[in-house]
Coordinates of all heavy atoms in Angstrom, one line a residue:
I67 N -10.5 8.3 17.7 CA -10.5 8.3 19.1 C -11.0 6.9 19.6 O -11.9 6.3 19.1 CB -11.5 9.3 19.7 CG1 -11.1 10.7 19.3 CG2 -11.7 9.2 21.2 CD1 -12.2 11.8 19.6
V68 N -10.2 6.3 20.6 CA -10.6 5.2 21.3 C -11.3 5.7 22.5 O -10.7 6.0 23.5 CB -9.4 4.2 21.7 CG1 -9.9 3.1 22.5 CG2 -8.5 3.9 20.5
A69 N -12.6 5.8 22.4 CA -13.4 6.4 23.4 C -13.8 5.5 24.6 O -14.0 6.0 25.7 CB -14.7 7.0 22.7
H70 N -13.8 4.2 24.3 CA -14.2 3.3 25.4 C -13.3 2.1 25.3 O -13.1 1.5 24.3 CB -15.7 2.9 25.2 CG -16.2 2.2 26.4 ND1 -16.0 0.8 26.7 CD2 -17.0 2.6 27.4 CE1 -16.6 0.5 27.7 NE2 -17.2 1.6 28.2
P71 N -12.7 1.7 26.4 CA -11.9 0.5 26.4 C -12.5 -0.9 26.0 O -11.8 -1.7 25.5 CB -11.3 0.4 27.9 CG -12.3 1.2 28.7 CD -12.9 2.2 27.8
F72 N -13.8 -0.9 26.1 CA -14.4 -2.1 25.6 C -15.5 -1.8 24.6 O -16.5 -2.5 24.5 CB -15.0 -3.0 26.8 CG -13.9 -3.5 27.6 CD1 -13.5 -2.8 28.8 CD2 -13.3 -4.7 27.3 CE1 -12.4 -3.3 29.5 CE2 -12.3 -5.2 28.1 CZ -11.8 -4.6 29.1
G73 N -15.2 -0.8 23.8 CA -16.1 -0.5 22.6 C -15.7 -1.2 21.3 O -14.7 -1.9 21.3
G74 N -16.3 -0.8 20.3 CA -16.2 -1.4 19.0 C -14.8 -1.2 18.4 O -14.2 -2.1 17.7
I75 N -14.2 0.0 18.7 CA -12.9 0.3 18.1 C -11.8 -0.6 18.7 O -11.1 -1.2 18.0 CB -12.6 1.9 18.3 CG1 -13.6 2.7 17.6 CG2 -11.2 2.2 17.9 CD1 -13.6 2.6 16.1
M76 N -11.9 -0.7 20.1 CA -10.9 -1.5 20.7 C -11.0 -2.9 20.4 O -10.1 -3.7 20.2 CB -11.0 -1.2 22.2 CG -9.8 -1.8 23.0 SD -8.3 -0.9 22.6 CE -7.2 -2.4 22.6
R77 N -12.3 -3.4 20.3 CA -12.6 -4.8 19.8 C -11.9 -5.1 18.5 O -11.3 -6.1 18.3 CB -14.0 -5.1 19.9 CG -14.3 -6.5 19.4 CD -15.8 -6.8 19.3 NE -16.5 -6.0 18.3 CZ -17.6 -5.2 18.6 NH1 -18.2 -5.3 19.7 NH2 -18.1 -4.4 17.7
Q153 N -4.6 4.3 25.7 CA -5.8 3.4 25.9 C -5.4 2.0 25.3 O -5.7 1.0 25.9 CB -7.0 3.9 25.2 CG -7.7 5.0 25.9 CD -9.0 4.5 26.5 OE1 -9.2 3.3 26.9 NE2 -9.9 5.4 26.7
H157 N -4.3 -1.4 27.5 CA -5.5 -2.2 27.7 C -5.1 -3.6 28.2 O -4.1 -4.2 27.8 CB -6.1 -2.4 26.2 CG -7.5 -3.0 26.3 ND1 -7.8 -4.3 26.5 CD2 -8.7 -2.3 26.2 CE1 -9.1 -4.5 26.5 NE2 -9.6 -3.3 26.4

Side-chain angles (χ1 to χ4, degrees):
I67 298 170
V68 180
H70 191 282
F72 290 95
I75 297 298
M76 193 64 219
R77 179 183 60 228
Q153 281 252 29
H157 195 279

